[in-house]
Amino acid sequence: MSYQTEIRRQTAPDITKRKGGEPIVSLTAYHAHTAQIIDPYVDFLLVGDSLGMVMHGYESTVPVPLDLMIMHGAAVVRGSRRALVVVDMPFGSYEESPAIAFRNAARVMKETGCGAIKLEGGTRMAETIRYLTERGIPVMAHIGLTPQSVNVMGGFKTQGRRQGEWAAIEADAAAVAEAGAFAVVLEGMAELLAARITKQIPIPTIGIGASVSCDGQILVLEDMLGLNPRVPKFVKKFGELGNAIETAVKSYAEEVRARSFPAPEHVYAMRAEAPADGKPKSKKSKAAGE
Ligand code: KIV
């Protein structure tokens, strides 16, 4: 048995089996270092296309290129050992046809080593979800507030707050489950509707701004750590790292300006046997113990 097999990574079917059981814990991760820190505590890590806004300063997720997702996805796989890694398909990489979606999703799987991909859309993406799943690519669906459609929705708008909107969203949930998605993210949707959908479909629902009754929860890591000054209502800040970073950087700047950093313990002394003049010792002087 090799060392790699001792820690078994979670798979898409492992996540599906958790329907109705102990809540599924997940967070976004964009790089190897944070993936390594959070890997022991989560069931899956999502390399979300939110990285475009969080890490690269874009106004929305729309401009995120496929190559960027692949670069971050591979880093998260390298940094983690046990969580399933799910990589988001960015806008424009899967909507055109199931065959194009397959080509790009296969690239993501091969080049990152991730265990699944996620794509946005309900009924309209069902055919693609089936096509990918039947060809070996586990798909996590994403319905409700779908950020890649921000330009059609006219903003990041909570879904299902009027009962008249429910039927279409429930149909989306049923369609992705029926098409073979192994789980579905319910984002930015009325609490009652998310709870209802969770009861209706046979695959796990992963809530973000949805309901505590969902089968699991996800948050953007930087939001819950307090690194993002402006967060939506549904984010609970479990840490205040933004303040901690500012305090640390302020102290660093003060110490550099005061020449108190680096202190003696942070610099390298000369080795004892290396003479300060740089000239090698003669055999005679070495023997004399100089
Ligand atoms: O891109 C992302 O981070 C996501 C989560 C918010 C679900 O899709």
Side-chain angles (χ1 to χ4, degrees), residues 154-176:
F156 297 102
K157 297 204 172 132
T158 309
Q159 305 292 300
R161 294 185 87 178
R162 293 204 174 78
Q163 216 163 342
E165 298 167 19
W166 283 19
I169 303 170
E170 286 177 341
D172 280 341
V176 299

Side-chain angles (χ1 to χ4, degrees), residues 40-146:
Y41 306 101
V42 298
D43 298 302
F44 74 86
L45 292 164
L46 173 69
V47 186
D49 61 353
S50 52
L51 65 81
M53 299 171 77
V54 176
M55 309 237 357
H56 295 275
Y58 292 124
E59 286 290 310
S60 78
T61 56
V62 171
V64 174
L66 185 64
D67 286 344
L68 195 64
M69 295 308 303
I70 290 175
M71 198 174 75
H72 284 282
V76 170
V77 171
R78 287 194 294 268
S80 59
R81 295 201 298 168
R82 52 164 303 284
L84 169 69
V85 177
V86 182
V87 177
D88 253 343
M89 297 298 291
F91 179 69
S93 68
Y94 62 93
E95 302 88 335
E96 204 173 337
S97 73
I100 290 174
F102 179 81
R103 195 170 315 139
N104 287 326
R107 249 197 90 196
V108 170
M109 301 282 294
K110 280 169 184 272
E111 293 179 34
T112 67
C114 72
I117 60 96
K118 175 166 84 59
L119 52 78
E120 295 184 6
T123 311
R124 70 186 165 87
M125 291 315 302
E127 187 194 348
T128 298
I129 293 171
R130 187 182 312 285
Y131 191 93
L132 297 186
T133 308
E134 283 173 351
R135 287 162 179 76
I137 299 181
V139 180
M140 177 176 282
H142 182 157
I143 63 168
L145 194 169
T146 46

Side-chain angles (χ1 to χ4, degrees), residues 240-271:
E240 281 297 348
L241 258 57
N243 293 344
I245 290 176
E246 200 177 336
T247 307
V249 170
K250 233 173 111 190
S251 302
Y252 166 73
E254 278 165 13
E255 291 191 22
V256 169
R257 290 192 180 109
R259 291 197 190 283
S260 59
F261 175 82
E265 66 269 29
H266 305 123
V267 296
Y268 296 98
M270 298 294 284
R271 285 193 197 283

